[in-house]
Structures are given as structure tokens and as C-alpha cells.
Amino acid sequence: MKGFTHLSVSDWFYRNRYIAGFTNPARSLYQAVRELVENSLDACEAAGNLPHITVDLKLISGRGAPKIYKLTVSDNGTGIPPQYVPQAFCTVLFGSKFELKQQRGLFGLGVKMAVLYSQITTGRPVEVTTCYDGCTEYHFTLQMDLKNNKPIVLSNRAQKLKEPRRGTTVKICLVGDYDRRLGSKSTGDYIREYLKLTTVANPHATILFSDPYDAVYTFERSVEKLPPLPREAVPHPHGVDVEMLKRMIESSRSTSLQTFLSKNFDRVGPKKALEFLKWAGFNPNKDVKKLTADEIVKLVNALKAYEKFLPPSPDVLSPIGAEELKAAISRLFNPEFVKTVTRQPKSYSGYPFQVEAGIAYGGPIIEGLCRGEGDFRLLFRFANKIPLLFDERGDVCRKVVESMDWKQYKVDDTTPIAIFIHVCSTRIPYKTAGKEMIADVEEIEEEIRFALMECARELRRYIYRKMKGIKEEERLNLLKAYIAEIADNLVRVVKEDRQKLVELMWMVVTKRVKSK
Amino acid sequence: MSSQSDYGGREWISEKIAQLLEKSVLKPLKAEKVPYFELLSRTKDNVFIDEEIQVIRLGNKKIKRRLSNIDEAKTFMRTVLIAAIIYEAIKNNKYPTIRDIFYDAKHTIPGTDIDTVDVQAESDNIIEDLEVMLGASREEMGLQTDVKCKVVGFMRVKSGRDIIDCSRQGEGGAYSPPTNVDRLEILDVSAEYVLVVEKDAVFNTLNMERYWEKNRCILITAGGQPDRPARRLIKRLNEELGLPVYVLTDADPYGFYIYSVYRIGSITLSHESVRLACPRARFIGVSVSDIYEYNLPKNVIIKAKEADIKRAIELKSYPWFQSQAWQRELDLFLERKEKAEIEAFSSKSLGFLEEKYLPEKIKSGHYIM
């Protein structure tokens, strides 16, 4: 990535804005919301605060094209130390370092892409208000020096706070189109769905959204507990490539191969490193800095081929949690039944990953959504706690959903169900640069299938019991009618109180039902 | 004998109905238990041949009709309903037909779209259940049926206040007994045997020819499947008066089965066999071997149908078809796969049946059992 700094940043952006999601005004608006919200979520989690994020989108110049919007996103996160604010918002790739972590943002660029897009389309500065220490609030207006990839500070003032608080508010102006339709939905629909689903994948977050028509949407948190922060991981030997290894060697001190491996790789200790180097035919004492280019390639290939490394550490992952996911689905979709599951962590090609799934059944919301879907099962996908709203048809999740034998689970084309699938990993294997489609990695596919089967089995039990319950109700109704008829005729022969007979008969037949 | 009893004497049955409901329904309910009716099963696996009296009898297998079981509850409900109808009929001195009972019972249960009974077979079946549970026949209950039975011959009977001479029924006329044949008083009989004819048409022919007069017999038919009055009357003539009984049917497995019903009873009415079956009834013909012995022409012999073959195989396994004679007949049928009607004898000459075949066979004692 370092190579990119030699390019003009604006050139780089123009060449890459498609893959970063900034294609047309409609999609760019959606993408800008995403970047700011995800940035805020990261800041809140880092601060250990339950996220409370407000998103405000207003049309400020709407006559004729292009439409210019002002987007304001506030959070209660860590805040940013004032000395870093200009670079944090206006220097692309600032602070981004080589790391392997379950993270939300695309490319680790986050908010800077949105700022860049804002500046290119409107020329207006970004406004940042932040409080890091809890008592002084700093207000910046910033611009990017695109040519030199440096921030230009237009204004900067500080203000003592009477009430201590932390957090950051970012305002950008950008060309967008809230009402334009992307397929069957408008940009606004996508933004609202994105925010709503973000609170499914992040049940501890509350998001308020005020749209250009002043409609306010509130997505309240469903749990009061913060998830553990994902730990930064060192790479697993199976997941390394030549470029990565080169950079790791560059940033390393001069040391033996054995020490280098045991210090920089996941699940590799000195013993395992020695074992491996012997197997691969390397001298364990060789200085890592003295490896030739050919030797580096040979080492990478050997690292990938060696089968005795332990699987990658799973503790770098931060799943949503089955209970939390269930709480969020229940709150936002209010289904009749919901089953969620978090699978054990697994790995593919040296990267740990974990699959979570949920199936929600029934209730007016899901019934309504399913009517809109036609014969296509309602599916919500998440990768590293970010909802994926586009390119569903090419996704491995869709592939698994379509390949399941749903009839076996008493689910037919008219059964109202919504399926939720979350994949978290230190590296999500996206199919395309658009990062909306998870690739058909066999290990992931299998885990998704197992997770769905687990939920579906529970659903089948529920549907079965429900159907039986309806039958039981029919049975009791029939018995009730028979009992009335029997009582009518009994009193033709014996001297008994009809009502008393009805009550006795009803009692004995229902008592029997309960004792079954 | 109940034939002597007055028709008003049905109170014991209404008392039994009240006792049945008390025991099966009220008592368990008061103990907060699920009420049920229990009765002997009238199915093939619960019948046996009583060697001593040579009729079909019910075994000991009992079935329950519980109120709590949704399938049994409907039958439970029908049982109470029809028991109440019969109870009131007795109380009000009414003599409904079993079809009247069906119509009286049939109504839509309030709050549902379900009828208490849909077809008469259902109410008839309940009446038979009640016969088993009450130990009383439907005739004793005073229930009337369509009587298919016709009788003609030198016999006088007293029915109610009337004396009927069964030999004075006009040209081709015959006497039709009441539902409850036990209420008939047989005054005098001047006959040597009873000839039971399966088919109404053949009965009519023989009657027009005054076969009964020429051969000193009593001629009876029930027009196919025998009804209870025919069976009861035949049994009485056989057992009270010692008249031999001969049964004449078509030469096919259906005819043989009808004979077996006269002789040992049927599975569904096995609870009534002791009253209805006539174990000494003899099968006079037409037998399968008669077809060939009498050289019936090929064109009157009928090719057996699939159903006939099936039925013959079934009959072959019934305990009451195990005699050598019957096994031979059935084997012959299964071998030739041919059958014939009684009327086939007319192909030899009109009157062959009554003038040659029947007198010859009865005289020679050429019957099978």
C-alpha cells in the first residue's frame, strides 16, 4: 500500500472510487453514511461506550442537479486528540498500518473517502467537533490538499465544556440523491435499511436518523452490554503472502529465522518454528534480513504447505453473540419465533472466521417483508457486523440458502421466514472489489449450512408444535360440540343437571389432554 | 319364550339403557374419570365357531369407545344419542323403523358443520352395538325393518289377533312375517321340509307352479342376503317343528356364502347367531358339481369373475367350509372357474328345476353341509 503514496491522492481516488463504493450520487450518499457511521461505531467501542449515534441528512441545495446534502454524524465515542484531527480526516492512509484485525471499514480508509468525495463534489470543507478529554471541545474546519495529501486547517477553536462529555461530530457536504431508485429501492430505503440492520449486527448500538424530509427514525439498542473488542492478530503462517512477508521482514529487527517466526506468527512458538524450518530445509539461525527474494518465495510456499501449524487463534474474532442477535432480531422484526446460533470459530487459508445465523418466523413485519420478496427467501447478510445490501445473488450465503431442502424443515414458499447470516473474520473473502459478496469458500459455506440447519431444526419443531396446537384446538372444539350433544341426550334418560354434565365431561377430557 | 310376551313388555330394555348410561357415563364422570362404552368386538378376529351348537359366536375381545379419543368420541356421542331415542320410543310406546331412528338421530351439531350421522349404516351399526351392550335384539327393542322375507305353504300362524293361513295367499301371493318373528305363534304346519330359495324370481316361479303344494313343503325366500325375520323363522321351523331345511342358491361363491349365513351366521351379526343361525340347514344346490353332473349346456355356464375367484379362496379358508364336500366343491370351482344360475336348468326344459332336479335331490338326500 505504501506505493500508493507516490501517486496523487486525487488520482488514486478517481481510479479507485468505484471499488470504494463512490460511483454515482445515489450510491455515494449511501456510502458516505456508511463510512461515517462505521467510524463512529469503532470510536464508541474503543471508548467502551454503548454507541449512541445520530445521523442527520439535509438537502441544502436542491434546485436542479446536482443536489447537495449536508450529512452530520455524531457519536459518543473516544473523541480525537486535537493534534491528530487534521490528519485523521484529511490525510488519506494516515495512521493506517499493516494490521490484521476483524474490522468494519473498507481498506481502513473510513471517513477519509467520504471527506474526499465531499471535497471533490462540492469543494466545501469538513467540519469536525470533537472532545477527547471530556472538558474541552475542539472545532475544526478542514480541507484536503489533494496534491500533497495534507490537511489544510481553515479554522480551529477550542471551547471549555460546562458539562463533561466525549465524542465527535462530523459534518460534510456532498452531492447525492436521496430519492433516486437503485433497483426496487431508493437510496433512502437503502440508508434506512442499512442503519436498521446495523443495529441488528450491533445490538448494543442506538442510531437515530433524521432524513431530508425531517422524518426521524429511531433504532434503539437491544442489549446493554458492549461486545469485547476484537484483538489485533499476528498473521497465521498459512495466510501469509510474499509481499506481506517482505514488509514484515523490513519492519523487523535483525534476528534469526527461528526467532522471527516465533515472534511474528500466530500459533508459532520457538519449538514449532524450529520443527518447521528443519522440515522446510532452512537454517534456523540464518539472519532474516539476509533472505534473498527467491528464499522469501520459498519460505512463503513452505509456510503455506506445512500442515502441522495449529489453526489460527479464534480469540481475535468478535461475534455478535447468539443471545444478542436474537434480542436485536426480536426487537426490530418482532417475529413469532426466532432461533439464533453462533458457531465455533473455524479457519480457512490461515484466517480465522466464525459464522452466526438466525431464522425469524412469522409476525406481521416478516409476513409483510416476505410478500414483497415473492419466491425469493428473505435474507439479511452481515460481514464483520456490517450489513451487506448489494450483490446478494452472487453471495455464498444466498447459494447456501437456495441449496437447502427447506421442505424438510416444514418451510414452503409461503412460510414467512427471514434468514440472518453473519460472517466475521480477520479477512472476509470477498468475491469482488465491491466487497458486497462473500466468495464460495468451502469452509465458510459449510459453516453457514450447519448454522442454518441448526436454526431450521428448531424452527421445524416450532412449526410442528404450532400445527399440532392448531389440530389440538380443532380436536377440543369438536369434543366440545360432542359433549354438548351427549349432555342433551343423557338428560333424556337420566335425571342430571345438563350443565353439570357438560362441565364434568369437559374437565375429564381436557385434564387428559394436559396430562399427556 | 318372548314370542308369548306382550308388546308392552319392553321396560326391561329401557331400564337396561338407563343402567348402561349410568354405569358407562355417569359413574366415571362423578369419579372424574374418562367415560367409555365397552363392548365385544364384532370383527373377524373375534369370532369363533361354537363346536357344540355349530354357529358363529363372538369371542371375548373387547373394544372401548372413549369420550377422550377424538375418533371414538363421535361413536360415543352417537351411542348416547341413539340410546336416548330408543329409550324414549319405548317410553312412548312407539315402534320406529331403523330408518326412522336414522332420521330422528340425524341433525347438525350446533356450532359445527358436522352431522350426528351421515348414512343409515352408521345408525344401524350403533343399534347393533347397543344389542351387544344391552343383551337385547333390535326386534325386542321394538325396532322395525323392511321385511324381505316371504313364506308360502301349509302353515297357519297367529300374529296379534289374526290367524294367517300361509297356503291361502292367492295366485303367486305369499305371507310376509313381521319384523319380530318371535311374536308369531306357529299354530299348525303340514309340510315335510322347508325350501329356502335365494332368489325372489325363482321363489315366484315355484310359487306359481304351487311347488309347495305338490311337494308338501314350506317355501321361503329373503331375496338375496337373508334378513333377520327369514333367518329366525327358518330356525324356528327347524328347531321347534323339526323340519329339515334345504337352501337353494346359484352355483357361485356368493350363493354359497348366503347358505353359510343361514347355517352358521355372519360375522357382523355374530352376537345374534344363537338366535338366528340354523346349523342343520342343508345346501341342496346348485352345487358346482351339479353343473357337470346335470350336463348343463356350455352356453348357460358363466365364466367366473375375478371377484368370484377371490371369494372362493376366502370361503375355502373359513372354518365352516372345511367339510370334505365343501372343499371339493370349492376346489372344483377354482379349477373350472365356471358358475351357473338356478334358472340355468330351464335350458334343459321349462319345469326341470321343480319337476326333476329338486325332487330328485331331496329324495336322494343329495345335499351338502
Side-chain angles (χ1 to χ4, degrees):
Chain A
M1 281 184 147
K2 262 187 179 168
F4 285 133
T5 53
H6 301 301
L7 271 173
S8 146
V9 172
S10 55
D11 274 356
W12 186 89
F13 174 69
Y14 272 121
R15 284 165 59 164
N16 294 286
R17 62 181 184 158
Y18 169 73
I19 58 169
F22 292 87
T23 45
N24 56 54
R27 182 71 187 266
S28 298
L29 187 62
Y30 168 79
Q31 201 63 37
V33 170
R34 256 191 81 160
E35 296 296 359
L36 295 187
V37 167
E38 284 160 24
N39 201 52
S40 286
L41 281 170
D42 284 339
C44 292
E45 280 170 18
N49 294 339
L50 289 167
H52 183 98
I53 298 167
T54 58
V55 179
D56 185 84
L57 186 64
K58 290 291 169 283
L59 183 65
I60 53 174
S61 158
R63 288 187 210 291
K67 290 177 182 167
I68 296 174
Y69 292 86
K70 184 194 255 179
L71 171 64
T72 310
V73 176
S74 305
D75 64 56
N76 56 337
T78 47
I80 305 160
Q83 65 271 30
Y84 295 131
V85 169
Q87 285 195 310
F89 286 90
C90 294
T91 302
V92 175
L93 306 180
F94 168 81
S96 60
K97 54 171 181 158
F98 172 73
E99 63 176 26
L100 200 62
K101 185 179 171 186
Q102 176 186 328
Q103 55 192 358
R104 291 194 173 83
L106 297 166
F107 314 102
L109 296 175
V111 71
K112 279 156 280 197
M113 292 303 290
V115 173
L116 196 52
Y117 175 80
S118 152
Q119 186 163 328
I120 287 166
T121 55
T122 68
R124 300 201 190 190
V126 54
E127 293 176 49
V128 179
T129 307
T130 186
C131 182
Y132 178 73
D133 58 10
C135 50
T136 316
E137 194 175 72
Y138 296 89
H139 184 85
F140 289 88
T141 40
L142 304 164
Q143 252 183 339
M144 278 180 168
D145 173 353
L146 294 179
K147 206 167 184 181
N148 298 305
N149 191 20
K150 278 183 180 160
I152 302 165
V153 180
L154 299 178
S155 71
N156 171 12
R157 57 189 160 77
Q159 182 190 347
K160 282 276 169 211
L161 289 172
K162 281 170 194 155
E163 303 259 327
R165 71 159 183 272
R166 288 173 77 179
T168 304
T169 299
V170 182
K171 274 183 199 171
I172 56 170
C173 295
L174 71 169
V175 168
D177 194 340
Y178 188 77
D179 304 307
R180 173 148 154 206
R181 303 193 80 78
L182 300 160
S184 60
K185 295 170 184 164
S186 71
T187 313
D189 292 333
Y190 275 110
I191 290 173
R192 288 192 301 273
E193 186 169 347
Y194 165 78
L195 295 173
K196 175 176 175 177
L197 292 175
T198 294
T199 61
V200 170
N202 302 272
H204 58 293
T206 291
I207 300 178
L208 304 175
F209 174 50
S210 170
D211 84 350
Y213 303 103
D214 289 329
V216 177
Y217 301 88
T218 306
F219 306 108
E220 295 259 18
R221 70 176 57 91
S222 324
V223 299
E224 298 290 330
K225 196 182 86 195
L226 271 168
L229 276 177
R231 190 167 63 79
E232 191 180 322
V234 288
H236 188 274
H238 286 163
V240 79
D241 60 37
V242 175
E243 184 56 35
M244 193 191 278
L245 189 63
K246 268 184 187 164
R247 274 197 264 151
M248 288 168 75
I249 292 169
E250 269 171 36
S251 60
S252 160
R253 284 186 299 125
S254 188
T255 175
S256 75
L257 261 177
Q258 187 190 358
T259 310
F260 171 78
L261 289 181
S262 61
K263 284 205 166 153
N264 290 289
F265 284 93
D266 185 29
R267 309 301 285 267
V268 182
K271 209 178 138 203
K272 186 62 85 181
L274 189 65
E275 221 177 271
F276 161 73
L277 289 164
K278 275 186 186 164
W279 174 85
F282 282 92
N283 177 1
N285 297 317
K286 188 179 174 90
D287 186 343
V288 70
K289 294 276 193 189
K290 292 193 173 144
L291 287 173
T292 65
D294 282 351
E295 281 174 322
I296 290 176
V297 173
K298 192 186 159 203
L299 183 59
V300 167
N301 290 337
L303 284 167
K304 280 186 183 295
Y306 191 61
E307 285 175 1
K308 291 180 181 169
F309 291 122
L310 293 168
S313 313
D315 61 348
V316 295
L317 298 175
S318 171
I320 302 166
E323 279 310 305
E324 289 78 2
L325 181 59
K326 186 176 183 173
I329 293 170
S330 301
R331 175 170 196 110
L332 290 154
F333 293 88
N334 196 21
E336 200 181 302
F337 164 89
V338 60
K339 166 70 182 175
T340 55
V341 56
T342 300
R343 298 278 304 168
Q344 286 301 309
K346 291 273 159 54
S347 69
Y348 77 95
S349 315
Y351 302 105
F353 75 94
Q354 197 165 6
V355 170
E356 300 180 288
I359 297 181
Y361 164 83
I365 298 175
I366 287 171
E367 276 162 19
L369 288 169
C370 283
R371 268 198 293 281
E373 283 295 303
D375 59 349
F376 210 54
R377 291 210 183 288
L378 192 56
L379 170 65
F380 297 106
R381 298 169 297 138
F382 304 88
N384 285 352
K385 301 189 180 178
I386 293 300
L388 305 178
L389 300 190
F390 298 95
D391 304 333
E392 183 183 306
R393 280 169 200 260
D395 193 289
V396 65
C397 300
R398 170 53 68 189
K399 183 184 164 192
V400 175
V401 167
E402 294 302 314
S403 72
M404 298 245 305
D405 178 14
W406 288 100
K407 277 204 183 72
Q408 191 191 327
Y409 301 103
K410 297 202 177 282
V411 171
D412 62 24
D413 290 345
T414 60
T415 312
I417 62 167
I419 299 160
F420 301 79
I421 301 170
H422 176 226
V423 179
C424 61
S425 175
T426 52
R427 196 169 99 172
I428 302 279
Y430 289 109
K431 218 175 196 173
T432 61
K435 300 206 171 191
E436 289 280 352
M437 258 190 274
I438 303 174
D440 310 13
V441 173
E442 207 183 313
E443 292 89 338
I444 296 181
E445 197 179 319
E446 188 180 79
E447 279 299 301
I448 292 172
R449 175 164 289 115
F450 286 152
L452 285 183
M453 281 162 67
E454 222 177 305
C455 297
R457 277 196 295 271
E458 196 76 23
L459 173 66
R460 176 177 56 199
R461 270 194 287 278
Y462 177 80
I463 293 177
Y464 178 74
R465 278 197 296 263
K466 189 181 166 185
M467 280 169 21
K468 228 181 130 195
I470 290 170
K471 274 191 201 148
E472 186 61 25
E473 200 184 315
E474 280 173 15
R475 197 187 89 101
L476 287 174
N477 281 339
L478 213 49
L479 279 178
K480 202 171 208 163
Y482 291 162
I483 284 170
E485 180 69 33
I486 291 164
D488 286 344
N489 290 293
L490 278 175
V491 297
R492 291 164 76 174
V493 180
V494 296
K495 282 194 177 68
E496 293 283 348
D497 178 58
R498 184 190 174 280
Q499 191 52 35
K500 196 185 121 203
L501 289 172
V502 167
E503 280 163 16
L504 275 172
M505 281 189 275
W506 184 245
M507 190 198 71
V508 295
V509 299
T510 54
K511 190 168 79 180
R512 203 179 142 80
V513 168
K514 276 172 206 144
S515 67
K516 264 182 195 168
Chain B
M1 190 184 296
S2 55
S3 65
Q4 302 300 322
S5 69
D6 178 55
Y7 239 142
R10 293 185 290 169
E11 276 72 27
W12 66 279
I13 295 173
S14 54
E15 260 163 51
K16 275 207 152 187
I17 290 173
Q19 282 163 14
L20 175 73
L21 296 182
E22 181 72 42
K23 178 179 138 262
S24 303
V25 186
L26 300 178
K27 209 175 140 198
L29 276 182
K30 282 167 187 166
E32 297 184 5
K33 285 186 178 146
V34 176
Y36 59 86
F37 290 107
E38 190 176 51
L39 64 155
L40 292 171
S41 161
R42 285 174 288 123
T43 51
K44 197 185 163 197
D45 60 344
N46 192 41
V47 292
F48 69 100
I49 291 279
D50 186 325
E51 292 296 336
E52 202 181 322
I53 54 172
Q54 284 293 307
V55 299
I56 292 193
R57 297 286 295 270
L58 273 183
N60 293 319
K61 201 184 133 200
K62 286 185 173 177
I63 50 165
K64 282 182 181 176
R65 307 218 196 277
R66 285 163 294 217
L67 178 62
S68 58
N69 180 304
I70 196 66
D71 300 318
E72 296 170 17
K74 194 166 195 177
T75 315
F76 186 105
M77 174 272 292
R78 286 173 177 162
T79 306
V80 176
L81 167 63
I82 289 169
I85 291 170
I86 294 170
Y87 178 87
E88 285 188 348
I90 294 170
K91 287 273 166 211
N92 298 325
N93 203 28
K94 293 274 193 293
Y95 298 92
T97 64
I98 54 175
R99 190 150 186 83
D100 290 331
I101 301 270
F102 166 65
Y103 278 115
D104 192 355
K106 189 176 174 70
H107 63 261
T108 304
I109 302 171
T112 72
D113 52 3
I114 301 161
D115 275 7
T116 47
V117 280
D118 298 310
V119 292
Q120 194 188 326
E122 290 165 350
S123 58
D124 286 357
N125 203 40
I126 297 290
I127 293 168
E128 286 171 11
D129 282 354
L130 286 167
E131 288 184 302
V132 177
M133 288 188 280
L134 299 170
S137 70
R138 68 184 185 199
E139 290 86 352
E140 289 171 308
M141 295 178 206
L143 307 186
Q144 308 297 302
T145 55
D146 286 342
V147 177
K148 290 187 296 176
C149 173
K150 290 193 287 189
V151 56
V152 64
F154 290 112
M155 172 170 81
R156 288 192 314 135
V157 292
K158 189 175 176 211
S159 177
R161 286 184 210 117
D162 306 319
I163 291 168
I164 295 127
D165 185 341
C166 297
S167 62
R168 293 168 184 273
Q169 300 292 320
E171 274 181 347
Y175 171 61
S176 187
T179 300
N180 190 352
V181 172
D182 284 323
R183 293 185 57 76
L184 282 182
E185 192 181 339
I186 300 173
L187 298 176
D188 50 59
V189 173
S190 171
E192 282 160 23
Y193 63 91
V194 177
L195 181 64
V196 181
V197 182
E198 174 196 352
K199 295 164 105 172
D200 198 58
V202 176
F203 174 89
N204 289 337
T205 308
L206 294 177
N207 191 15
M208 286 301 283
E209 296 288 336
R210 294 181 86 80
Y211 176 88
W212 50 272
E213 194 175 48
K214 293 170 191 160
N215 293 280
R216 304 297 299 176
C217 74
I218 291 169
L219 202 57
I220 296 180
T221 187
Q225 267 290 357
D227 58 7
R228 294 186 189 200
R231 293 174 62 191
R232 181 65 189 149
L233 181 59
I234 289 159
K235 187 181 175 72
R236 286 188 63 191
L237 290 172
N238 178 251
E239 293 181 0
E240 289 171 30
L241 298 153
L243 291 177
V245 170
Y246 297 99
V247 179
L248 175 68
T249 75
D250 282 343
D252 64 18
Y254 184 71
F256 307 154
Y257 175 74
I258 286 176
Y259 159 72
S260 80
V261 172
Y262 279 116
R263 184 180 154 200
I264 50 103
S266 67
I267 294 166
T268 49
L269 281 186
S270 44
H271 59 289
E272 286 285 289
S273 302
V274 175
R275 216 171 54 81
L276 299 175
C278 181
R280 288 196 291 268
R282 298 158 174 176
F283 180 70
I284 191 72
V286 180
S287 68
V288 185
S289 42
D290 285 343
I291 298 175
Y292 310 105
E293 275 174 33
Y294 284 85
N295 274 320
L296 287 179
K298 281 261 176 286
N299 55 5
V300 301
I301 300 172
I302 306 163
K303 205 171 167 297
K305 288 183 181 132
E306 202 55 44
D308 296 318
I309 308 284
K310 237 179 104 187
R311 184 132 206 167
I313 294 168
E314 260 175 44
L315 294 185
K316 219 173 121 54
S317 72
Y318 284 174
W320 46 95
F321 277 103
Q322 294 308 309
S323 70
Q324 258 190 7
W326 270 117
Q327 288 290 313
R328 240 191 345 254
E329 285 296 311
L330 291 167
D331 285 340
L332 186 59
F333 174 79
L334 289 170
E335 185 200 320
R336 305 293 289 256
K337 297 185 170 61
E338 286 173 334
K339 58 181 187 178
E341 292 189 276
I342 306 169
E343 292 95 321
F345 288 112
S346 302
S347 68
K348 299 191 81 69
S349 69
L350 283 176
F352 185 85
L353 176 73
E354 61 269 25
E355 287 158 18
K356 287 275 289 180
Y357 178 81
L358 286 172
E360 243 178 55
K361 285 207 91 174
I362 286 164
K363 200 173 170 193
S364 64
H366 207 96
Y367 57 83
I368 51 180
M369 278 182 79

